[in-house]
Amino acid sequence: MESRSRLIREGGWAALAQVMSALGALAGVRALTEFAPPETYGSITLLLGAFTVVQGTLINPIMQASLRLYPEYAESRLALFRKTLVSMLWRRILIVLATLALSWPIINHFKVSSLGVVVLMALLFVLEGFRNLETVLLNAARRQRAYSLITIFEAWGRPLLAIAAILLWESSVESVFAGYAIATSLTLILIYLLVQPEGRISTGKTKLAVCPTLRHAVARYSLPLAPLAIMDSVSGVGDRYILAALLGVDKAGVYAATYGLLSRPFLMMAGTFDLSVRPVYYQSVAAGNHDHAHKILRRWLVLIILISGAGFVLSFLLKDFIVEIFLAREYWVGANLIPWIAGGYSLLVISNVFEKVCYAYGFTGRILAVRSIAAVSGLLIAYYGIVLWGMPGAAIAVPIYFGLQMVMNMIVAGASSSEQGVQSLQTRNDGQDDRRLMTVSK
C-alpha cells in the first residue's frame, strides 16, 4: 500500500507547482504586453504556437513513453533507460535542426523570420528537449519537490529574463527568445548541479550502449502519439477560428478570453493529480498489481468528479462575479458562456482519467483514434452551434463534444484494462541485453 501521507505530500508539491507556474505565466503575459508592442507579442505567440506543435509531435511522445516505462527499468537498468532515451531525443532534435537548416533559403526568401529568431528557436528546442527529459524522469521517480521547484524556477525565470533582455537590447522577438533560452539554460544547470538527475552516471566510470529492444519499445509506444499535438491544436482553438470567420474577431476575442479564464483552473486541478497520482498508477500496472491499480484509478476518478463538479457549480453561481473581477467591461457579455465551458471542462478532466488507462496498458493507438474523432466532431458541432445560436452556440458545443470524448474514453478504457495480456511493456531478453551492455572500466 502506498503511504497516504506521501501521496498527500507529493500532491501538495504538485499543486504548488501548478499554482506558481500559472501565476508566473499570468505575470509574464502582463509584463510582456507592457514592454512588447502588439506586433512583437503577436509574432511571439504565433512562433510559440508552431514551436509547440513541433515539440508535441516529435518530443512529447518520447516523454509519455518515458513516464510509462520508467517503473520497469527503475530498479536495475535506469542508466540504460536514460542512455536510450537521450539517444532517441538527439535523433529527433537533429531532424528538426536539419529541417530548419534546409528550409532557411525558403524562410529567408519569403521573409518569414530572421536568422536570429531561427537560431534562437533551434537553441530553445534543444534546451527544452533535455529539460523535458529531466523533469519527466523526476516526476516518474516521484521526486515531486525537486520537480516542482525546478518548474517554478523556469516558469518565473522565462518572463523575467525576457523582460531583462528587452531592457538590455530592444523590444524584439529575438530578445524575448534569448531570455527564454537563458532561463532554460539556467534551469538545466540547476538540475545538473543541485539535483541528481535520474539514471545519470558520472563521466568516466562506465559506458553503456543504447538498448535496441528498449528503443523499439519506446518507438512503438510513442508513434501513435505523434499526431496528438495537431489534434489538440485543432480541438483547442478550432472553434475560435470558426467564430471569427462567421461572426467576426470581436466575438472570437470575447469567447477566447472567457474560455481561457475558465479552462485554466480545471486543467490546473487535473494537472496536480496527473503529477502526483499517475506515477503511482503506472507503477502498479507495471508491477502487474492490477487490483491495486484499479483501486487507485477509482479513487482518482472520484476525486476528479467531486472537485470538477464543485468547480462547475461555483462557476455557475459566480459567473457574473468572475467576469467582473478578471475581465474588462467589454468582455462581461461572456458571463453566460461560463456554465457551458465549465461543464465541458468538467467532462474533459474526467475523460482524461479514463484516457490514462490506455497510456498505462500501452494502447496508444486507441488514444489517437479517440482524439481524432473528438477533434473532427468538435469542429462540426462547434460550426453548427455557431450557425444556430451565434457565440453562445460555440460554448454550448463544448460539453457536447467533450462529453462525446468522455464516453469514447470510457469504452476504450474498459476494453484496455480487460485486455491485460500485455501486463508489461518492457520487451527485453536478459541475455541479449546483457550482451549489448558495454561496461568499460576506467
Side-chain angles (χ1 to χ4, degrees), residues 18-38:
Q18 292 287 309
V19 172
M20 293 302 295
S21 296
L23 291 175
L26 290 172
V29 170
R30 177 67 182 85
L32 282 176
T33 52
E34 185 72 27
F35 289 93

Side-chain angles (χ1 to χ4, degrees), residues 63-90:
M63 300 301 110
Q64 290 289 348
S66 305
L67 191 60
R68 170 57 188 87
L69 289 167
Y70 177 89
E72 301 179 23
Y73 284 83
E75 292 298 326
S76 59
R77 296 194 170 189
L78 189 53
L80 174 67
F81 184 59
R82 178 188 177 88
K83 175 73 174 181
T84 304
L85 293 175
V86 169
S87 173
M88 296 184 71
L89 185 59
W90 265 121

Side-chain angles (χ1 to χ4, degrees), residues 12 25 27-28 55 64 76-78 94 135-136 148 170 172 181 184 194 210 227 231 266 294 298 318 377 395 402 427:
Q55 189 178 65
Q64 290 289 348
S76 59
R77 296 194 170 189
L78 189 53
L94 291 175
T135 52
V136 164
S148 299
E170 60 178 349
S172 65
T184 305
L194 300 181
V210 172
M231 297 298 105
F266 287 94
H294 292 160
R298 284 195 300 271
L318 302 174
S377 61
F402 281 154
T427 57

